């Protein structure tokens, strides 16, 4: 048996068509913007972070095909639950 320390997944990286539109959207949801450049947006809420990159600027050949897919995320479902610090987890989901 291999002795491996458990890890916590704390973030997601996404390709987007419009960084500025994504920035405004996540600001309205209450995320803290930690980087807001034309080629990279990073937002966070507590220990969770999300990075966004423009799909048309991906320069790594192994990622270019994925970046330009029309149906990004088709068949993929990400579910995030976030609670306020003053509310019991079982009572309020944001």
């Amino acid at each position: 048996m291999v002795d491996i320390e458990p890890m916590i997944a704390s973030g997601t990286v996404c390709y987007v068509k419009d960084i500025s539109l994504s920035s405004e959207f996540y600001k309205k949801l209450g995320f803290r913007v930690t980087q807001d450049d034309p080629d990279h947006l990073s937002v966070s809420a507590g220990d969770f972070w999300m990075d966004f990159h423009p799909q048309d600027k991906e320069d790594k050949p192994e990622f270019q095909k994925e970046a330009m897919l029309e149906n990004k995320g088709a068949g993929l479902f990400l579910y995030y639950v976030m609670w306020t610090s003053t509310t019991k987890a079982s009572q309020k989901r944001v």
Side-chain angles (χ1 to χ4, degrees):
M1 177 174 225
V2 178
D3 186 22
I4 299 175
E5 289 290 321
M7 296 176 62
I8 297 172
S10 62
T12 302
V13 178
C14 301
Y15 293 112
V16 295
K17 289 183 180 179
D18 188 329
I19 290 278
S20 62
L21 187 61
S22 298
S23 176
E24 292 305 313
F25 176 77
Y26 284 96
K27 284 177 188 175
K28 286 180 183 177
L29 290 179
F31 282 76
R32 183 171 56 95
V33 175
T34 56
Q35 184 170 347
D36 197 350
D37 299 322
D39 292 340
H40 182 201
L41 169 67
S42 187
V43 300
S44 66
D47 292 335
F48 178 76
W49 55 265
M50 294 178 74
D51 277 0
F52 302 91
H53 300 278
Q55 68 181 35
D56 60 343
K57 300 217 175 158
E58 177 55 64
D59 59 354
K60 295 180 182 102
E62 61 271 25
F63 296 142
Q64 285 176 345
K65 180 180 176 184
E66 294 293 325
M68 297 309 292
L69 285 175
E70 286 298 317
N71 290 329
K72 276 187 256 346
L76 174 67
F77 179 74
L78 301 172
Y79 179 74
Y80 300 108
V81 177
M82 300 175 73
W83 295 274
T84 64
S85 60
T86 59
T87 309
K88 287 184 181 178
S90 62
Q91 293 178 338
K92 183 170 182 174
R93 292 183 180 188
V94 178

